[in-house]
Amino acid sequence: MSNLKQVVVLAITILNCFPASHEHKTPRLSLLRGGIRKKLENKSTAISKGFTTYLYDQTLDHFNYNPQSYTTFKQRYDLNFKHWGGSQKNAPIFAYLGDEAALGRHPRVGFMTENAPRFRALQVYIEHRFYGESNPLGSMKKSLENTTIRGYFNSAQALADYAEILIYLKRKFSAHHSPVIVVGASYGGQLAAWFRLKYPHVAHGALASSAPILYFDNITPHDAYFVAVSKDFREVSESCYRTIQKSWSEIDKIASKPHGLAFLSSKFNSCRKLRDSDELKDFLIEAFASTAQYNAPPTYPVTQVCGGIDGAPKGTDILGRIIFGIYEHPDNKKCHDIHDNPLDETEQGWNWLSCSEMVMPLAHGYHTMFPPSNFSLSKWSKDCRHSFGVEPRPHWITTYYGGQDIKLVLKKFASNIIFTNGLRDPYSRGGVLQNISDSLVAVVTTNGSHCLDLGPSQPDDPEWLVTQRKAVFGILEGWIKEYYGTRNATHKVAL
């Protein structure tokens, strides 16, 4: 299967974040899944050696002292001491903050494994509560059905988990003066930035890759994500862009005719008959969005999709061109699962986060290649009440972490955060794209995609990607040198 088709398959099988009743299926932030996971992880056997998994007795509720709060659960974390310079030399600690997915069997992030030897760093990977092995009741389904337990499933509790484990590790290994750099990708990148803001005494710095911390509370225009997706396609091919733009009305026109849904089901070789035209349109919207979000070199999936659309045989109709764009073998008799599938634990968990605090409003708008559709908080709330019996809190993220007037506010008190973004990533529109201060730094590339910078280096990496990673390395190196210099000076004065 080509890289392009892996991306499209992800969109087809995994990207359904909400049940079918939801008007807007927010593209999930994480890239640690499926074929995308393989791009981020360094698959070197040598590098994978030396990792050991541990379980920590984690506090269920860090912010209360009721009897329930003293309940604990097992939280997974992985360590690799292979390159660590040791506590006597105050060698640094790199901590990867898990996002909305299980760590997986081999959670090796290329940026971490490649730079650990250069910094002589201890590598720590911490799984996000409620995912994988770190679930209080053993499964996501059971925990979400328990209305008391699921209340402890939120970002603030997760950050406190990370702080508790990191402080425990520093105490356990007598690494009291080892500087900690937290690293995160996507939602994990948001967590990394927020961790540095909330726990500056634990983390000396943070690397937040593709972290849309400004996609909340109307800070970013609702249609910014899909405007960026459309821009990615239009820059590759105007005719491809126009074909996609025309396809939605064509789908509706055919669907409105007698036996129209049966015709569309047959044309797209759906495994079962489509229930309505929205089902097919949702499928295609997610496919195109995912393709743009992960539009990475060397294949650049958007270019491949447009190559299929523009390169279809002469006389092919609009929908036929769409099929040539998204399917590797359009004539393959194997049916395609266009429909909503049972949600895995990652999607179930993201549903809950989206219905509680992670309210990121997305709309198609009128300046995109997609059918216009506004974001409706009332519809979102109705769906969340149906799914969980709760009202979302759309203003809580900015209340707790900030976001409004971020340049003015963070400049006053924040430091040592690197925000990396690639402008081909639609979520970059909700990211920090300009330096706020000397130590609140934006490292941006024109051609980068979602969290690409954290992936392992490849021989065919473009020069701009190599330069981006070098820039991040240089900033981290400067922070750690500054830390040692300040500590040595302080230590001498104390003596």
Side-chain angles (χ1 to χ4, degrees):
M1 184 182 291
S2 70
N3 290 335
L4 162 65
K5 304 309 168 184
Q6 288 179 16
V7 171
V8 173
V9 166
L10 279 175
I12 295 169
T13 61
I14 298 180
L15 215 61
N16 296 317
C17 300
F18 287 110
S21 62
H22 279 264
E23 182 179 349
H24 300 281
K25 296 181 178 181
T26 306
R28 220 169 30 84
L29 287 172
S30 174
L31 85 168
L32 291 178
R33 62 193 193 277
I36 303 302
R37 179 189 292 274
K38 295 177 183 178
K39 292 183 179 181
L40 182 65
E41 293 174 355
N42 191 322
K43 293 175 281 187
S44 166
T45 303
I47 288 179
S48 293
K49 290 180 179 178
F51 281 89
T52 305
T53 295
Y54 300 88
L55 295 175
Y56 178 78
D57 288 327
Q58 186 60 267
T59 305
L60 180 63
D61 183 7
H62 297 282
F63 306 112
N64 210 318
Y65 296 92
N66 291 324
Q68 181 80 24
S69 303
Y70 290 88
T71 302
T72 61
F73 66 95
K74 300 293 184 182
Q75 185 168 18
R76 175 188 169 182
Y77 65 94
D78 287 13
L79 299 180
N80 189 331
F81 295 93
K82 182 177 180 180
H83 304 290
W84 194 36
S87 60
Q88 291 184 339
K89 294 186 178 180
N90 299 322
I93 298 171
F94 285 176
Y96 187 83
L97 307 186
D99 52 25
E100 76 278 26
L103 278 183
R105 186 177 179 185
H106 301 293
R108 314 298 175 241
V109 176
F111 185 88
M112 297 266 288
T113 55
E114 290 177 7
N115 285 289
R118 304 167 73 179
F119 285 97
R120 303 192 69 190
L122 168 64
Q123 293 180 65
V124 183
Y125 291 78
I126 310 176
E127 191 168 63
H128 193 297
R129 61 167 48 202
F130 283 68
Y131 291 105
E133 297 177 46
S134 304
N135 198 295
L137 296 184
S139 77
M140 183 65 74
K141 185 175 185 295
K142 288 182 179 179
S143 290
L144 290 181
E145 288 174 347
N146 187 308
T147 56
T148 299
I149 293 296
R150 77 182 184 202
Y152 303 112
F153 183 11
N154 58 66
S155 62
Q157 296 281 7
L159 295 184
D161 290 343
Y162 302 143
E164 188 166 317
I165 288 177
L166 288 171
I167 290 172
Y168 162 76
L169 292 175
K170 293 185 77 171
R171 186 186 307 120
K172 180 178 180 179
F173 300 117
S174 300
H176 307 290
H177 303 296
S178 292
V180 174
I181 302 296
V182 293
V183 179
S186 200
Y187 167 54
Q190 292 174 318
L191 294 175
W194 293 334
F195 189 90
R196 171 60 184 167
L197 296 180
K198 293 294 185 180
Y199 297 94
H201 56 291
V202 179
H204 181 62
L207 170 56
S209 174
S210 298
I213 64 170
L214 302 180
Y215 224 125
F216 298 95
D217 210 4
N218 298 320
I219 299 172
T220 298
H222 294 177
D223 66 350
Y225 180 97
F226 286 101
V227 167
V229 173
S230 302
K231 181 175 182 290
D232 285 352
F233 277 85
R234 195 168 199 172
E235 287 182 345
V236 168
S237 168
E238 180 71 23
S239 60
C240 172
Y241 169 88
R242 293 295 180 191
T243 298
I244 295 171
Q245 194 175 50
K246 294 174 182 176
S247 67
W248 315 113
S249 60
E250 188 69 14
I251 290 171
D252 286 335
K253 183 175 74 173
I254 294 173
S256 66
K257 296 179 179 179
H259 311 296
L261 289 175
F263 175 82
L264 289 173
S265 301
S266 175
K267 190 171 185 68
F268 281 84
N269 199 13
S270 174
C271 291
R272 64 169 174 78
K273 183 181 175 181
L274 293 165
R275 292 172 294 195
D276 52 45
S277 62
D278 285 343
E279 196 169 30
L280 176 58
K281 288 190 289 186
D282 284 346
F283 161 78
L284 293 173
I285 289 167
E286 292 165 6
F288 294 134
S290 182
T291 302
Q293 189 166 317
Y294 303 105
N295 190 30
T299 56
Y300 290 113
V302 170
T303 300
Q304 290 187 299
V305 167
C306 282
I309 289 174
D310 291 341
K314 187 176 180 180
T316 304
D317 62 14
I318 289 175
L319 297 189
R321 290 184 179 278
I322 297 297
I323 290 169
F324 269 92
I326 65 172
Y327 293 144
E328 187 169 15
H329 301 292
D331 298 327
N332 193 326
K333 293 185 178 181
K334 181 180 178 181
C335 68
H336 303 291
D337 196 356
I338 292 175
H339 321 281
D340 290 319
N341 296 302
L343 303 180
D344 63 21
E345 75 153 22
T346 297
E347 294 156 341
Q348 293 172 42
W350 187 247
N351 271 5
W352 166 252
L353 290 173
S354 298
C355 273
S356 51
E357 61 177 354
M358 298 297 293
V359 181
M360 303 176 68
L362 273 75
H364 300 159
Y366 291 89
H367 306 290
T368 73
M369 65 182 188
F370 299 99
S373 178
N374 294 325
F375 172 77
S376 171
L377 181 58
S378 62
K379 179 66 165 63
W380 189 291
S381 299
K382 179 181 177 181
D383 291 336
C384 290
R385 288 194 300 271
H386 173 76
S387 298
F388 299 106
V390 300
E391 290 277 349
R393 301 174 67 183
H395 309 297
W396 178 243
I397 288 293
T398 55
T399 299
Y400 191 68
Y401 300 112
Q404 306 287 355
D405 298 320
I406 192 169
K407 290 183 180 179
L408 178 64
V409 174
L410 289 192
K411 192 171 184 178
K412 290 181 178 179
F413 72 91
S415 63
N416 289 13
I417 305 175
I418 305 171
F419 297 97
T420 60
N421 280 284
L423 296 184
R424 289 184 184 270
D425 172 20
Y427 270 123
S428 68
R429 299 310 187 266
V432 176
L433 303 179
Q434 295 178 338
N435 293 350
I436 297 174
S437 69
D438 290 343
S439 64
L440 295 170
V441 185
V443 181
V444 179
T445 60
T446 301
N447 296 319
S449 58
H450 200 58
C451 303
L452 178 64
D453 57 299
L454 291 191
S457 299
Q458 302 292 345
D460 56 355
D461 281 341
E463 186 58 35
W464 55 262
L465 179 56
V466 175
T467 300
Q468 182 186 30
R469 289 179 176 143
K470 284 182 178 178
V472 170
F473 175 87
I475 295 167
L476 293 178
E477 187 177 45
W479 288 352
I480 292 174
K481 285 182 178 178
E482 180 185 31
Y483 170 86
Y484 289 142
T486 301
R487 188 186 176 279
N488 290 340
T490 304
H491 184 64
K492 288 178 182 177
V493 171
L495 289 176

